Amino acid sequence: MASVTSLSDNVQQHLASALSATLPEAAGADPLLRRSDRADFQANGILALAKKAKANPRELAAQVVSQVVTGDVIEDVEVSGPGFLNITIADKAITGNLAARYADETGRLGVPYAEQPGTTVIDYAQPNVAKEMHVGHLRSAVIGDSVVQLLEFTGENVVRRHHIGDWGTQFGMLIQYLDEHPHELDHKDARVTGEEAMSNLDRLYKAARKKFDSDDEFKTRARRRVVDLQAGDEHTLAMWQRFVDESKIYFFSVFEKLDMEIRDADIVGESGYNDMLAETCRLLEESGVAVRSEGALCVFFDDIKGPDGNPVPLIVQKSDGGYGYAATDLSAIRDRVFNLKANTLLYVVDARQALHFRMVFETARRAGWLNDDVTAVQLAFGTVLGKDGKPFKTREGETVRLVDLLDEAIDRASAVVREKAQDLSEEEIAERGAQVGIGAVKYADLSTSANRDYKFDLDQMVSLNGDTSVYLQYAYARIQSILRKAGEVSPAAHPELALADAERALGLHLDSFAETVREAAAEYAPHKLAAYLYQVASLYTTFYDKCPVLRAETPAQVENRLFLCDVTARTLHRGMALLGIRTPEKL
């Protein structure tokens, strides 16, 4: 189905025609249309145009009004204040536009694809091999997954990359210990769980660390292993692969609990760029982008200095010949630009790494790998805080395990569902509890602008009141209940009917779904979609309170209100899916 032109775009076109007819030199000018509490829309652009044309703004506004075509879309337009235009949309246009969206069998609600989609490589959800995922891993995964959904929905070609930490000196210690204790990663049966995989890794890591710190001979053997690993020794690589495979079992279990799809082919960790490191350094040095300083290969920046006033370089290769994160990140850029043909590189990474990525991106620009046609962006996110406003820790001061946090959210949500459940089995309560609990965690994260810190408060997250996913899920479930109670009566649009104020407000807001999605995708801003959906649920609550659905005055009004309910449900369902959140049919 073809995309549906939104009412705001339609009004914009009407006003643009009236403006150019009144003032030919204003052709192409923006009427500055926005939603208003004084009318359905208000246009403020005439003030600037009048100033430019040295005309009286109210008089110019009146002339524009005389050129506006009213009837099918615009019911009325009047001049307000110093020259604003207050625009009222015809009821039949609101219902008609929603009916066109409702008829979209693809489930897109008439949302168009981007006119010129590109290729975006998005780097998100980056856990470390042989280490437990903690609360700090939450935001990259949740924000990244939602941005992937938004970009793909608008037609962008998205390549997912999970840049896992799977290389480094600690693997010498782990591999050597496993070589000397070969059964440490064995399992009781073939159906290993993520919890068992992590338990094995955690136990092995602690034992290896203890031996490394207390046994100098083991420490020497472990350091030798690092050299073997970097040299590509076959046996050492096979041992390393066991750690990676064991860790993936655990990663997949956590992401499954988060209700996120992580594909094995998308996991390209630090090790995936090993073969490119030497060439990356050679290209940077030969081009003069990087220079040798005290034996290390460095890139310097005029505007980046330390507290002592001396330049702080990006170290690409250390003086001992080893490679740092910068070499890997720069090699990844080369791969993503030249092999994956990306137009945009998007990194969903903690704000505390902003300086590192600023230096890496600038280095890549100097090398010519990034340019006007290929851009790199860090979608920096803030910290998860406890109720006390400090970084989220356990009572013992340790970092909170991600699985513990998710399990508690599910337990809290299950209690809320059980309290409200009327005809749900224990199995259904458990399923809904997981959907509500994980949804609550995701929504709390996504409803906050990514660059801000936010407080992790489970009591608030699973509340039925306020700006929570549970409130949105409950609105959706309530609509499904109404549709079930309607029995043989089906939703149907009746554009000939006059709309009550609450119906109009809901309908106008539902029609702006497409532009909200477009804006959220373009700005990598899931919080804008979350705010929109909360407003949908709030306006629906007002509609539900003021406009009887099944007891409406006429059969046509019953059908039309059922239609409004169903469009609302479909919008909530599609919008929440773009946030990675489920909408249960019953709660």
Side-chain angles (χ1 to χ4, degrees):
M1 172 176 169
S3 61
V4 178
T5 302
S6 69
L7 290 169
S8 65
D9 284 347
N10 212 323
V11 171
Q12 187 103 353
Q13 291 165 16
H14 276 70
L15 290 181
S17 297
L19 269 172
S20 58
T22 306
L23 203 65
E25 61 267 35
D30 187 350
L32 298 181
L33 190 71
R34 61 180 180 83
R35 289 298 308 279
S36 170
D37 55 2
R38 302 187 177 218
D40 294 335
F41 291 98
Q42 188 174 78
N44 301 339
I46 288 176
L47 275 71
L49 289 171
K51 187 175 181 182
K52 196 172 179 181
K54 295 187 169 67
N56 181 300
R58 272 191 71 88
E59 289 177 8
L60 180 59
Q63 290 171 17
V64 172
V65 168
S66 69
Q67 296 287 343
V68 173
V69 177
T70 58
D72 289 343
V73 178
I74 298 176
E75 182 175 283
D76 185 42
V77 55
E78 61 180 27
V79 180
S80 169
F84 302 137
L85 297 185
N86 283 349
I87 298 142
T88 302
I89 304 296
D91 286 354
K92 63 183 176 183
I94 296 174
T95 305
N97 241 42
L98 291 182
R101 297 192 182 286
Y102 191 70
D104 185 352
E105 294 177 356
T106 66
R108 293 182 59 81
L109 296 167
V111 177
Y113 288 102
E115 291 180 9
Q116 294 181 307
T119 296
T120 295
V121 176
I122 177 167
D123 189 326
Y124 70 108
Q126 310 107 340
N128 293 309
V129 165
K131 289 185 180 178
E132 277 199 279
M133 292 177 69
H134 54 75
V135 68
H137 291 111
L138 179 66
R139 299 207 73 185
S140 178
V142 171
I143 295 168
D145 184 58
S146 180
V147 172
V148 166
Q149 305 303 327
L150 281 163
L151 291 175
E152 288 184 336
F153 189 67
T154 57
E156 182 78 354
N157 174 38
V158 178
V159 181
R160 312 172 192 204
R161 279 292 175 266
H162 308 296
H163 191 87
I164 63 172
D166 65 351
W167 205 248
T169 54
Q170 78 273 20
F171 284 98
M173 174 186 82
L174 293 170
I175 291 166
Q176 186 61 36
Y177 188 85
L178 183 61
D179 206 23
E180 296 175 11
H181 303 80
H183 300 297
E184 283 293 320
L185 292 185
D186 290 349
H187 297 289
K188 293 167 188 166
D189 59 52
R191 294 165 301 172
V192 56
T193 64
E195 196 67 35
E196 185 183 354
M198 193 61 245
S199 176
N200 282 353
L201 287 166
D202 191 52
R203 186 179 63 250
L204 188 145
Y205 185 88
K206 286 175 180 173
R209 169 55 67 183
K210 185 177 179 182
K211 191 166 181 64
F212 186 86
D213 290 340
S214 62
D215 186 334
D216 287 342
E217 289 184 7
F218 175 77
K219 186 180 289 186
T220 301
R221 295 196 298 275
R223 285 175 172 159
R224 220 176 278 135
R225 267 305 163 136
V226 178
V227 178
D228 293 341
L229 179 63
Q230 292 174 341
D233 174 69
E234 193 173 327
H235 174 66
T236 302
L237 279 175
M239 303 290 284
W240 167 82
Q241 191 64 50
R242 283 193 71 186
F243 279 105
V244 174
D245 293 343
E246 191 82 4
S247 297
K248 282 184 179 178
I249 295 169
Y250 164 68
F251 295 159
F252 287 133
S253 73
V254 177
F255 289 125
E256 185 178 3
K257 186 166 285 193
L258 264 172
D259 199 14
M260 279 174 53
E261 181 194 28
I262 298 289
R263 301 180 298 228
D264 194 54
D266 301 331
I267 298 176
V268 182
E270 294 166 355
S271 63
Y273 306 101
N274 282 345
D275 293 344
M276 299 176 68
L277 301 179
E279 187 181 18
T280 295
C281 290
R282 179 180 62 77
L283 291 170
L284 292 172
E285 189 168 11
E286 286 180 357
S287 63
V289 172
V291 295
R292 292 285 168 185
S293 176
E294 297 179 19
L297 186 63
C298 304
V299 181
F300 290 91
F301 310 87
D302 292 338
D303 57 341
I304 301 176
K305 293 183 171 63
D308 56 3
N310 292 324
V312 175
L314 180 72
I315 300 175
V316 185
Q317 186 177 25
K318 292 179 268 190
S319 56
D320 63 2
Y323 302 104
Y325 291 124
T328 305
D329 288 333
L330 287 162
S331 298
I333 287 176
R334 287 177 54 220
D335 177 61
R336 294 166 184 184
V337 171
F338 300 111
N339 294 333
L340 300 178
K341 309 298 183 188
N343 311 105
T344 306
L345 307 180
L346 182 60
Y347 294 77
V348 188
V349 183
D350 191 318
R352 288 171 293 191
Q353 296 189 47
L355 179 61
H356 169 77
F357 279 100
R358 183 178 143 205
M359 295 163 86
V360 165
F361 296 162
E362 176 57 27
T363 299
R365 272 190 287 273
R366 291 180 187 178
W369 306 332
L370 297 177
N371 50 45
D372 291 343
D373 299 321
V374 186
T375 57
V377 181
Q378 183 193 359
L379 177 48
F381 56 82
T383 305
V384 181
L385 307 176
K387 288 185 186 181
D388 58 1
K390 297 176 181 176
F392 203 24
K393 302 277 187 184
T394 64
R395 286 179 183 174
E396 294 74 34
E398 295 176 3
T399 305
V400 178
R401 296 195 327 157
L402 185 51
V403 286
D404 291 343
L405 183 146
L406 298 178
D407 285 342
E408 187 179 353
I410 292 169
D411 288 346
R412 297 275 192 97
S414 297
V416 172
V417 173
R418 180 174 279 104
E419 189 181 318
K420 292 285 180 182
Q422 295 174 347
D423 54 352
L424 297 179
S425 67
E426 278 300 312
E427 187 178 345
E428 288 173 318
I429 288 172
E431 181 188 10
R432 302 296 192 282
Q435 292 174 345
V436 172
I438 297 303
V441 170
K442 287 184 174 182
Y443 187 84
D445 192 317
L446 295 171
S447 59
T448 304
S449 175
N451 58 13
R452 291 177 54 200
D453 300 341
Y454 80 96
K455 290 183 182 179
F456 196 92
D457 183 348
L458 274 176
D459 292 329
Q460 174 57 31
M461 287 180 188
V462 299
S463 171
L464 281 165
N465 302 311
D467 189 3
T468 66
S469 67
V470 191
Y471 177 65
L472 275 65
Q473 289 169 321
Y474 187 69
Y476 177 83
R478 176 190 271 172
I479 295 171
Q480 297 308 316
S481 175
I482 291 171
L483 294 173
R484 286 191 295 272
K485 287 176 184 174
E488 298 298 312
V489 183
S490 297
H494 287 273
E496 75 279 4
L497 292 179
L499 298 175
D501 288 347
E503 291 175 297
R504 289 177 55 80
L506 177 60
L508 282 165
H509 191 64
L510 290 171
D511 189 63
S512 62
F513 179 62
E515 56 205 85
T516 303
V517 168
R518 184 172 60 213
E519 186 180 343
E523 298 177 16
Y524 313 127
H527 71 280
K528 293 196 171 183
L529 177 59
Y532 168 85
L533 294 172
Y534 174 62
Q535 188 68 8
V536 168
S538 300
L539 289 168
Y540 179 77
T541 300
T542 303
F543 160 79
Y544 179 81
D545 290 342
K546 295 188 175 180
C547 303
V549 178
L550 300 178
R551 295 181 184 176
E553 294 175 10
T554 66
Q557 198 174 49
V558 170
E559 290 179 346
N560 199 58
R561 287 182 175 172
L562 281 172
F563 158 73
L564 265 177
C565 286
D566 206 6
V567 178
T568 302
R570 293 183 186 195
T571 304
L572 285 171
H573 176 74
R574 171 53 68 192
M576 293 286 268
L578 292 174
L579 297 179
I581 299 173
R582 304 272 179 180
T583 41
E585 300 288 308
K586 294 181 182 179
L587 271 183

mmCIF file of all heavy atoms in Angstrom, residues 489-524:
data_model
loop_
_atom_site.group_PDB
_atom_site.id
_atom_site.type_symbol
_atom_site.label_atom_id
_atom_site.label_comp_id
_atom_site.label_asym_id
_atom_site.label_seq_id
_atom_site.Cartn_x
_atom_site.Cartn_y
_atom_site.Cartn_z
ATOM 1 N N VAL A 489 -20.072 -6.959 16.398
ATOM 2 C CA VAL A 489 -19.940 -5.595 15.879
ATOM 3 C C VAL A 489 -18.473 -5.325 15.550
ATOM 4 O O VAL A 489 -17.605 -5.459 16.414
ATOM 5 C CB VAL A 489 -20.442 -4.548 16.897
ATOM 6 C CG1 VAL A 489 -20.368 -3.139 16.283
ATOM 7 C CG2 VAL A 489 -21.862 -4.862 17.335
ATOM 8 N N SER A 490 -18.205 -4.945 14.317
ATOM 9 C CA SER A 490 -16.819 -4.720 13.880
ATOM 10 C C SER A 490 -16.503 -3.240 13.823
ATOM 11 O O SER A 490 -17.387 -2.417 13.558
ATOM 12 C CB SER A 490 -16.607 -5.325 12.482
ATOM 13 O OG SER A 490 -16.787 -6.717 12.530
ATOM 14 N N PRO A 491 -15.226 -2.877 14.036
ATOM 15 C CA PRO A 491 -14.819 -1.481 13.882
ATOM 16 C C PRO A 491 -15.028 -1.030 12.437
ATOM 17 O O PRO A 491 -14.726 -1.781 11.509
ATOM 18 C CB PRO A 491 -13.326 -1.499 14.227
ATOM 19 C CG PRO A 491 -13.108 -2.775 14.980
ATOM 20 C CD PRO A 491 -14.104 -3.742 14.452
ATOM 21 N N ALA A 492 -15.523 0.161 12.264
ATOM 22 C CA ALA A 492 -15.707 0.710 10.909
ATOM 23 C C ALA A 492 -15.661 2.224 10.978
ATOM 24 O O ALA A 492 -16.265 2.832 11.867
ATOM 25 C CB ALA A 492 -17.026 0.237 10.313
ATOM 26 N N ALA A 493 -14.955 2.827 10.033
ATOM 27 C CA ALA A 493 -14.842 4.292 10.005
ATOM 28 C C ALA A 493 -16.099 4.914 9.408
ATOM 29 O O ALA A 493 -16.619 4.428 8.405
ATOM 30 C CB ALA A 493 -13.624 4.694 9.189
ATOM 31 N N HIS A 494 -16.556 5.979 10.027
ATOM 32 C CA HIS A 494 -17.707 6.741 9.542
ATOM 33 C C HIS A 494 -17.316 8.211 9.448
ATOM 34 O O HIS A 494 -17.594 9.000 10.358
ATOM 35 C CB HIS A 494 -18.906 6.557 10.483
ATOM 36 C CG HIS A 494 -19.550 5.214 10.390
ATOM 37 N ND1 HIS A 494 -20.544 4.928 9.477
ATOM 38 C CD2 HIS A 494 -19.326 4.065 11.069
ATOM 39 C CE1 HIS A 494 -20.911 3.656 9.605
ATOM 40 N NE2 HIS A 494 -20.187 3.107 10.577
ATOM 41 N N PRO A 495 -16.686 8.612 8.333
ATOM 42 C CA PRO A 495 -16.229 9.998 8.197
ATOM 43 C C PRO A 495 -17.353 11.030 8.257
ATOM 44 O O PRO A 495 -17.090 12.208 8.499
ATOM 45 C CB PRO A 495 -15.560 10.011 6.818
ATOM 46 C CG PRO A 495 -15.210 8.582 6.543
ATOM 47 C CD PRO A 495 -16.281 7.787 7.193
ATOM 48 N N GLU A 496 -18.592 10.585 8.019
ATOM 49 C CA GLU A 496 -19.722 11.534 8.028
ATOM 50 C C GLU A 496 -20.099 11.986 9.437
ATOM 51 O O GLU A 496 -20.826 12.977 9.604
ATOM 52 C CB GLU A 496 -20.944 10.907 7.334
ATOM 53 C CG GLU A 496 -21.675 9.840 8.146
ATOM 54 C CD GLU A 496 -21.035 8.443 8.109
ATOM 55 O OE1 GLU A 496 -19.958 8.302 7.496
ATOM 56 O OE2 GLU A 496 -21.624 7.515 8.694
ATOM 57 N N LEU A 497 -19.608 11.274 10.457
ATOM 58 C CA LEU A 497 -19.986 11.598 11.837
ATOM 59 C C LEU A 497 -19.163 12.759 12.395
ATOM 60 O O LEU A 497 -17.961 12.851 12.137
ATOM 61 C CB LEU A 497 -19.782 10.383 12.741
ATOM 62 C CG LEU A 497 -20.702 9.179 12.542
ATOM 63 C CD1 LEU A 497 -20.324 8.070 13.519
ATOM 64 C CD2 LEU A 497 -22.167 9.572 12.736
ATOM 65 N N ALA A 498 -19.846 13.605 13.180
ATOM 66 C CA ALA A 498 -19.125 14.645 13.921
ATOM 67 C C ALA A 498 -18.355 13.976 15.065
ATOM 68 O O ALA A 498 -18.800 12.963 15.620
ATOM 69 C CB ALA A 498 -20.097 15.665 14.468
ATOM 70 N N LEU A 499 -17.201 14.543 15.417
ATOM 71 C CA LEU A 499 -16.367 13.975 16.473
ATOM 72 C C LEU A 499 -16.434 14.821 17.742
ATOM 73 O O LEU A 499 -16.443 16.054 17.666
ATOM 74 C CB LEU A 499 -14.911 13.885 16.009
ATOM 75 C CG LEU A 499 -14.614 12.992 14.803
ATOM 76 C CD1 LEU A 499 -13.147 13.106 14.408
ATOM 77 C CD2 LEU A 499 -14.967 11.536 15.081
ATOM 78 N N ALA A 500 -16.448 14.127 18.885
ATOM 79 C CA ALA A 500 -16.353 14.829 20.161
ATOM 80 C C ALA A 500 -14.921 15.331 20.331
ATOM 81 O O ALA A 500 -13.998 14.869 19.657
ATOM 82 C CB ALA A 500 -16.729 13.885 21.300
ATOM 83 N N ASP A 501 -14.732 16.275 21.256
ATOM 84 C CA ASP A 501 -13.394 16.852 21.471
ATOM 85 C C ASP A 501 -12.343 15.781 21.767
ATOM 86 O O ASP A 501 -11.220 15.830 21.242
ATOM 87 C CB ASP A 501 -13.426 17.874 22.613
ATOM 88 C CG ASP A 501 -14.137 19.157 22.217
ATOM 89 O OD1 ASP A 501 -14.375 19.354 21.010
ATOM 90 O OD2 ASP A 501 -14.465 19.954 23.124
ATOM 91 N N ALA A 502 -12.702 14.812 22.609
ATOM 92 C CA ALA A 502 -11.746 13.761 22.982
ATOM 93 C C ALA A 502 -11.415 12.872 21.791
ATOM 94 O O ALA A 502 -10.283 12.384 21.656
ATOM 95 C CB ALA A 502 -12.298 12.916 24.130
ATOM 96 N N GLU A 503 -12.388 12.654 20.905
ATOM 97 C CA GLU A 503 -12.141 11.862 19.698
ATOM 98 C C GLU A 503 -11.202 12.619 18.749
ATOM 99 O O GLU A 503 -10.291 12.028 18.155
ATOM 100 C CB GLU A 503 -13.464 11.574 18.977
ATOM 101 C CG GLU A 503 -14.381 10.626 19.740
ATOM 102 C CD GLU A 503 -15.724 10.474 19.044
ATOM 103 O OE1 GLU A 503 -16.450 11.481 18.928
ATOM 104 O OE2 GLU A 503 -16.049 9.344 18.615
ATOM 105 N N ARG A 504 -11.452 13.905 18.604
ATOM 106 C CA ARG A 504 -10.625 14.730 17.730
ATOM 107 C C ARG A 504 -9.171 14.747 18.210
ATOM 108 O O ARG A 504 -8.233 14.570 17.421
ATOM 109 C CB ARG A 504 -11.153 16.169 17.694
ATOM 110 C CG ARG A 504 -12.462 16.368 16.956
ATOM 111 C CD ARG A 504 -12.898 17.833 17.053
ATOM 112 N NE ARG A 504 -11.838 18.707 16.563
ATOM 113 C CZ ARG A 504 -11.593 18.944 15.280
ATOM 114 N NH1 ARG A 504 -12.351 18.391 14.360
ATOM 115 N NH2 ARG A 504 -10.604 19.732 14.914
ATOM 116 N N ALA A 505 -8.994 14.989 19.512
ATOM 117 C CA ALA A 505 -7.638 15.078 20.067
ATOM 118 C C ALA A 505 -6.876 13.772 19.855
ATOM 119 O O ALA A 505 -5.706 13.767 19.453
ATOM 120 C CB ALA A 505 -7.699 15.425 21.550
ATOM 121 N N LEU A 506 -7.557 12.646 20.105
ATOM 122 C CA LEU A 506 -6.931 11.333 19.920
ATOM 123 C C LEU A 506 -6.617 11.100 18.441
ATOM 124 O O LEU A 506 -5.507 10.684 18.081
ATOM 125 C CB LEU A 506 -7.854 10.241 20.458
ATOM 126 C CG LEU A 506 -7.374 8.786 20.271
ATOM 127 C CD1 LEU A 506 -6.040 8.550 20.965
ATOM 128 C CD2 LEU A 506 -8.434 7.807 20.794
ATOM 129 N N GLY A 507 -7.595 11.381 17.580
ATOM 130 C CA GLY A 507 -7.411 11.147 16.145
ATOM 131 C C GLY A 507 -6.273 11.954 15.549
ATOM 132 O O GLY A 507 -5.457 11.440 14.772
ATOM 133 N N LEU A 508 -6.199 13.236 15.909
ATOM 134 C CA LEU A 508 -5.125 14.095 15.392
ATOM 135 C C LEU A 508 -3.757 13.590 15.836
ATOM 136 O O LEU A 508 -2.791 13.600 15.077
ATOM 137 C CB LEU A 508 -5.327 15.539 15.858
ATOM 138 C CG LEU A 508 -6.396 16.345 15.103
ATOM 139 C CD1 LEU A 508 -6.751 17.611 15.871
ATOM 140 C CD2 LEU A 508 -5.895 16.700 13.701
ATOM 141 N N HIS A 509 -3.673 13.142 17.085
ATOM 142 C CA HIS A 509 -2.388 12.654 17.598
ATOM 143 C C HIS A 509 -2.002 11.331 16.925
ATOM 144 O O HIS A 509 -0.827 11.132 16.571
ATOM 145 C CB HIS A 509 -2.462 12.475 19.115
ATOM 146 C CG HIS A 509 -1.122 12.227 19.747
ATOM 147 N ND1 HIS A 509 -0.102 13.144 19.745
ATOM 148 C CD2 HIS A 509 -0.616 11.132 20.381
ATOM 149 C CE1 HIS A 509 0.963 12.646 20.355
ATOM 150 N NE2 HIS A 509 0.667 11.423 20.743
ATOM 151 N N LEU A 510 -2.969 10.447 16.724
ATOM 152 C CA LEU A 510 -2.678 9.180 16.057
ATOM 153 C C LEU A 510 -2.139 9.406 14.650
ATOM 154 O O LEU A 510 -1.267 8.680 14.170
ATOM 155 C CB LEU A 510 -3.941 8.310 15.990
ATOM 156 C CG LEU A 510 -4.441 7.718 17.310
ATOM 157 C CD1 LEU A 510 -5.814 7.081 17.127
ATOM 158 C CD2 LEU A 510 -3.450 6.687 17.859
ATOM 159 N N ASP A 511 -2.638 10.448 13.989
ATOM 160 C CA ASP A 511 -2.230 10.712 12.612
ATOM 161 C C ASP A 511 -0.773 11.181 12.517
ATOM 162 O O ASP A 511 -0.186 11.155 11.442
ATOM 163 C CB ASP A 511 -3.158 11.762 11.985
ATOM 164 C CG ASP A 511 -2.918 11.911 10.492
ATOM 165 O OD1 ASP A 511 -3.130 10.912 9.763
ATOM 166 O OD2 ASP A 511 -2.488 12.994 10.062
ATOM 167 N N SER A 512 -0.205 11.610 13.640
ATOM 168 C CA SER A 512 1.190 12.107 13.596
ATOM 169 C C SER A 512 2.208 11.010 13.906
ATOM 170 O O SER A 512 3.388 11.293 14.116
ATOM 171 C CB SER A 512 1.365 13.284 14.574
ATOM 172 O OG SER A 512 1.131 12.874 15.900
ATOM 173 N N PHE A 513 1.751 9.746 13.885
ATOM 174 C CA PHE A 513 2.663 8.623 14.163
ATOM 175 C C PHE A 513 3.826 8.593 13.172
ATOM 176 O O PHE A 513 4.987 8.431 13.556
ATOM 177 C CB PHE A 513 1.886 7.302 14.114
ATOM 178 C CG PHE A 513 2.727 6.074 14.352
ATOM 179 C CD1 PHE A 513 3.387 5.886 15.554
ATOM 180 C CD2 PHE A 513 2.861 5.098 13.373
ATOM 181 C CE1 PHE A 513 4.156 4.754 15.792
ATOM 182 C CE2 PHE A 513 3.630 3.957 13.580
ATOM 183 C CZ PHE A 513 4.279 3.789 14.790
ATOM 184 N N ALA A 514 3.514 8.772 11.889
ATOM 185 C CA ALA A 514 4.555 8.658 10.856
ATOM 186 C C ALA A 514 5.662 9.688 11.050
ATOM 187 O O ALA A 514 6.855 9.362 10.983
ATOM 188 C CB ALA A 514 3.933 8.807 9.467
ATOM 189 N N GLU A 515 5.266 10.948 11.294
ATOM 190 C CA GLU A 515 6.308 11.978 11.443
ATOM 191 C C GLU A 515 7.101 11.788 12.725
ATOM 192 O O GLU A 515 8.295 12.106 12.779
ATOM 193 C CB GLU A 515 5.709 13.383 11.358
ATOM 194 C CG GLU A 515 4.611 13.692 12.317
ATOM 195 C CD GLU A 515 3.691 14.805 11.799
ATOM 196 O OE1 GLU A 515 2.765 14.502 11.040
ATOM 197 O OE2 GLU A 515 3.916 15.958 12.185
ATOM 198 N N THR A 516 6.468 11.219 13.754
ATOM 199 C CA THR A 516 7.197 10.931 14.996
ATOM 200 C C THR A 516 8.242 9.853 14.758
ATOM 201 O O THR A 516 9.394 9.969 15.203
ATOM 202 C CB THR A 516 6.231 10.484 16.105
ATOM 203 O OG1 THR A 516 5.244 11.495 16.313
ATOM 204 C CG2 THR A 516 6.973 10.225 17.406
ATOM 205 N N VAL A 517 7.858 8.799 14.059
ATOM 206 C CA VAL A 517 8.799 7.712 13.745
ATOM 207 C C VAL A 517 9.946 8.242 12.898
ATOM 208 O O VAL A 517 11.119 7.930 13.140
ATOM 209 C CB VAL A 517 8.077 6.558 13.016
ATOM 210 C CG1 VAL A 517 9.086 5.567 12.432
ATOM 211 C CG2 VAL A 517 7.129 5.834 13.971
ATOM 212 N N ARG A 518 9.608 9.061 11.911
ATOM 213 C CA ARG A 518 10.624 9.635 11.023
ATOM 214 C C ARG A 518 11.637 10.463 11.824
ATOM 215 O O ARG A 518 12.851 10.344 11.634
ATOM 216 C CB ARG A 518 9.927 10.502 9.976
ATOM 217 C CG ARG A 518 10.848 11.086 8.910
ATOM 218 C CD ARG A 518 10.026 11.753 7.814
ATOM 219 N NE ARG A 518 9.203 12.828 8.340
ATOM 220 C CZ ARG A 518 7.998 13.152 7.857
ATOM 221 N NH1 ARG A 518 7.472 12.478 6.858
ATOM 222 N NH2 ARG A 518 7.317 14.153 8.376
ATOM 223 N N GLU A 519 11.128 11.275 12.737
ATOM 224 C CA GLU A 519 11.996 12.136 13.550
ATOM 225 C C GLU A 519 12.838 11.312 14.516
ATOM 226 O O GLU A 519 14.040 11.544 14.667
ATOM 227 C CB GLU A 519 11.127 13.138 14.326
ATOM 228 C CG GLU A 519 11.916 14.171 15.096
ATOM 229 C CD GLU A 519 11.022 15.148 15.848
ATOM 230 O OE1 GLU A 519 9.826 15.245 15.535
ATOM 231 O OE2 GLU A 519 11.533 15.819 16.774
ATOM 232 N N ALA A 520 12.220 10.319 15.169
ATOM 233 C CA ALA A 520 12.947 9.482 16.132
ATOM 234 C C ALA A 520 14.059 8.701 15.438
ATOM 235 O O ALA A 520 15.155 8.536 15.987
ATOM 236 C CB ALA A 520 11.982 8.524 16.832
ATOM 237 N N ALA A 521 13.804 8.220 14.226
ATOM 238 C CA ALA A 521 14.825 7.469 13.483
ATOM 239 C C ALA A 521 15.946 8.390 13.025
ATOM 240 O O ALA A 521 17.132 8.061 13.157
ATOM 241 C CB ALA A 521 14.187 6.768 12.286
ATOM 242 N N ALA A 522 15.581 9.564 12.501
ATOM 243 C CA ALA A 522 16.590 10.494 11.972
ATOM 244 C C ALA A 522 17.519 11.005 13.055
ATOM 245 O O ALA A 522 18.707 11.239 12.817
ATOM 246 C CB ALA A 522 15.899 11.666 11.278
ATOM 247 N N GLU A 523 16.982 11.161 14.274
ATOM 248 C CA GLU A 523 17.776 11.721 15.380
ATOM 249 C C GLU A 523 18.289 10.646 16.334
ATOM 250 O O GLU A 523 18.887 10.974 17.357
ATOM 251 C CB GLU A 523 16.914 12.737 16.151
ATOM 252 C CG GLU A 523 16.479 13.928 15.301
ATOM 253 C CD GLU A 523 15.575 14.885 16.067
ATOM 254 O OE1 GLU A 523 15.524 14.796 17.320
ATOM 255 O OE2 GLU A 523 14.910 15.710 15.424
ATOM 256 N N TYR A 524 18.054 9.371 16.007
ATOM 257 C CA TYR A 524 18.434 8.267 16.908
ATOM 258 C C TYR A 524 17.879 8.555 18.307
ATOM 259 O O TYR A 524 18.601 8.483 19.303
ATOM 260 C CB TYR A 524 19.952 8.082 16.967
ATOM 261 C CG TYR A 524 20.627 8.076 15.618
ATOM 262 C CD1 TYR A 524 21.702 8.922 15.347
ATOM 263 C CD2 TYR A 524 20.199 7.228 14.603
ATOM 264 C CE1 TYR A 524 22.323 8.910 14.100
ATOM 265 C CE2 TYR A 524 20.814 7.221 13.357
ATOM 266 C CZ TYR A 524 21.874 8.070 13.115
ATOM 267 O OH TYR A 524 22.488 8.063 11.885
#
